Amino acid sequence: MPGADDTAGDTVSTAQTGEQTEPATYDVHAAQDKWRSVWDALDPFRALDDGSKPRRYALTMFPYPSGDLHMGHGEVLALHDVLARYWRLRGCDVLNPIGWDSFGLPAENAAIRRREHPAVYTYANIEVQAESLRRYAVSFDWSRRLHTSDPDYYRWTQWLFLRFREQGLAYRKASYVNWCPNDQTVLANEQVVAGACERCGAVVTKRELTQWYFRITAYAQRLLDDMSLLEGHWPDRVLTMQRNWIGRSEGAFADFAVDGADGRRHDPLRVFTTRPDTLFGATFMVVAPESPLAADLVSDDQRAAFEAYLADTQRATEIERLSTERPKTGVFLGAYATNPATGGRIPIWAADYVLADYGTGAIMAVPAQDQRDWDFAVAHDLPIVRTVQPPSDFAGEAYLGDGAAINSANDEINLDGLDVDAAKARIAEWLETSGLGERTVNYRLRDWLLSRQRYWGCPIPIVHCGDCGEVPVPDYQLPVELPHLSGTDLVPQGTSPLAAATDWVQTRCPQCGGPARRDTDTMDTFVDSSWYFLRYCSPNYADGPYDPEVANRWMPAANYFGGAEHAVLHLLYFRFFTKVLHDIGMLDAAEPTESLVNQGQVINQGNRMSKSRGNGVDLGEQIDNFGVDAVRLTMVFSGPPEDDVDWADVSPGGSLRFLHRVWRLAHDVISPVGVDAIDGHEPLRRVTHRTVHDVEQLIEGRRFNVAVARLMELVNATRKAIDSGPGGADPAVREAVEVTAQLLSMVAPHTAEEMWETLGHQPTVACTDWPTVDPALLVEQSVTCVVQVQGKVRARLEVAPDVGDAELERLALADEQVQRVVDGRPVRRVIVRAPSLVNLVV
RNA sequence: GCUCCUGUAGCCCAAUCGGCAGAGGCAGACGGCUUAAACCCGUCCCAGUGUGGGUUCGAUUCCCACCAGGAGCACCA
């Protein structure tokens, strides 16, 4: 492990100073054990929810139970706990819950390997992580602990699914879906990254399956609009990613009459376009090969060619299909449409550069104004007609810019000469009045595919009956519990392992009582994590997923800590759930969290930690070596929360030395408890009060690293006061050290408790009140004014903070050094920024 | 290819509104403490802010271009 060798000298000393009268060293590990049991006994972190204090909900993304906690957990938990503890010191009733996202594939795969039930691995890991979390001293309210794989929890996931279904927000449809051949299950669009499975990296293929979806598209506009509530409180990066993902685009539908060459009648072919102004330039049409439109339109003599092309398309991987370098392939369908603007007869092709599930699955191809269509036209020798005049020096192919419309007139409408925006408006109006189309808004966002063909997830509470069809399991029968399957029962077969549990699958139809089959898919685990923050509010509530009255007292969460990798996954889904629950009257909040912080990653030597690089750092080992407080301090102090921490660049050994230094301050205080600081050494008091004031501002701004630096300054000033100032008996020293213990408790809780006790107080420092700042001590008595000549500093003046501009100018001009530099030249201009600066221009 | 973010001391990072470039830490040097070493204490060293322009009395901060690193998007009609 890099870093351990050169810092071995800093490792924690064990208690070996028995014969000494005074403890010379601070035994970090003994302090950890001691305070853990005190906190367990006092239970100071339980949310009261009694209205005695203002409520604050501190939320952090709950862990998935894979092995023990790692360095990444160490970072996010340290940061998150600073806020939770800060709010507690500020007098808030803090809800700081913990739970586990405990359904999911890794446990299932482990169960297959180990020939056991996934619950064994899952709950064993949870215990390991719970123990580590307690050791790490995160100020969680353990009484609210939950696991999404508990029947008591997933009962309500099922209940919510049924409410969504009642609202028309959960439905089943057949479609071409993303299939991960490795995990043997379908995936939502959000879980496919660059054509590969977001979880395992396998190249995703397409399958036609009937699956359950959540109608998140119905909330596309709301998800966009409500970003105004998050602006400035959520990272721009996340909002940008969500905006891109939702992909709103404004345009129009246009209907093209289809000319049934083979004598069949066809409905008009409807297309979505963002450039209705280019309608006159539409020289052919393209439909997605997988779209039912293609199979419907194809003529008998082209059918064989089309089917061969469709088969080719489906062989191609997502990655190949997404490549823009790929030549534009396609096949003529033997059908023609009529361009509604020109009346021209244009051919209809099928080509895989058109997507079946975006827009209508068909486009009007305008090669002159769209490069993709241009490429296709060139490849297949189709006509190109410019309808926007490119600039005279335009050297490209398709012209996408603004310009005057040309070749765009018929008996009813004339766009020629209009710029793009004006032409769009004019033609949209014409389409609408002539019944050929309408203005519309289209989104890139697709519905959320939630079925999964795996075992260790929440069963979908639906029964399929031969007579009644899809029947919801009645609420009183929930939960639909998982059948007990383990080991080889779980080997993926392409269908859910639940299908093989015949006793479980066979059931009675809740409606007609006849024989029926249970739905054998489980839900995407992102469903489980879309509402866990609400269950925390009333974890034992038995009449619903949560008590709305209680949830409304806490929600929205004041802050959410978690990784940016969930920008268009969890963070989109849980906004969606929140909005649906809001709409059905179960929640007042429109957004789940007021603010969001994406912590950086913990890396090592410039790289992500990985087994293959051999640069892994183990959180447990770091804690063994340096102690919990030093590791937490290192995480918090390393830099801004959103920046990566390179473990090779930081110094847990240095953090531990700092903690020793702070700890000794408490032993050097020799004034009695309760002594009035008012008569104490004023310069130190000024530092103390300034520090409290600044730390408050800094924590509010999530600038934890700078807050720690301020605290270090206070510690340095206090040391100096003890050793070479007024000495340890001065009341100001006690004040400074008490404040230090309080502020330190946010980051290094054990050390802070040790100090608090040494200072003669009862535990726990975590529950004390934020120190009151005396504003008089913040006012500077004098400030240094810089006098510049030509922008260069030439003199410094000690002046009163409230000095006037005129007075300051007079003082500056009178300064001997300034006069020497000015050297009799006329002063052309004087800029005065009282009280800190005067600049003379000569 | 397009968009956004970030470049400050050997290293990690600070620097309200444009106003003295350094708060804090790491590493390093020297001194004190020590039988000695470590711990500890003290003192010191170290950059003109990626590069080039512009605006300004004054630029790390604002604007433009470029370089480097990171992130996001990339057949969505």
Side-chain angles (χ1 to χ4, degrees), chain A residues 66 101 110 157 305 328 361 388 422 426 611 640 645-646 648 660 697:
Chain A
S66 58
D101 186 17
T157 307
K328 295 266 179 298
V388 178
R426 179 75 61 83
K611 268 187 199 143
V645 183
D646 191 329
H660 275 108
Q697 303 292 310

Side-chain angles (χ1 to χ4, degrees), chain A residues 31-102:
Chain A
Q32 282 173 205
D33 294 344
K34 168 177 158 190
W35 291 107
R36 175 169 166 178
S37 57
V38 171
W39 292 325
D40 280 350
L42 296 178
D43 196 16
F45 307 123
R46 190 185 282 262
L48 303 172
D49 197 19
D50 60 2
S52 60
K53 299 171 174 182
R55 295 180 180 83
R56 286 251 176 182
Y57 188 171
L59 186 63
T60 182
M61 289 184 188
F62 63 166
Y64 177 82
S66 58
D68 202 348
L69 300 182
H70 52 68
M71 293 296 279
H73 292 118
E75 187 194 7
V76 67
L77 293 168
L79 296 168
H80 163 80
D81 205 34
V82 169
L83 261 191
R85 288 176 179 270
Y86 169 73
W87 286 333
R88 217 170 271 119
L89 290 172
R90 298 287 298 168
C92 295
D93 183 13
V94 176
L95 173 58
N96 183 20
I98 181 67
W100 276 268
D101 186 17
S102 51

Side-chain angles (χ1 to χ4, degrees), chain A residues 104-122 182-184 453-457 482-501 522:
Chain A
L105 263 187
E108 188 164 342
N109 292 335
I112 294 167
R113 277 197 311 276
R114 298 154 56 136
R115 298 179 181 273
E116 62 189 24
H117 191 275
V120 176
Y121 171 91
T122 300
N182 182 52
D183 290 338
Q184 295 274 303
Q453 287 70 47
R454 296 298 297 257
Y455 170 77
W456 192 231
L482 285 167
H484 193 277
L485 297 180
S486 64
T488 50
D489 298 342
L490 304 172
V491 173
Q493 315 276 356
T495 54
S496 169
L498 291 180
T522 51

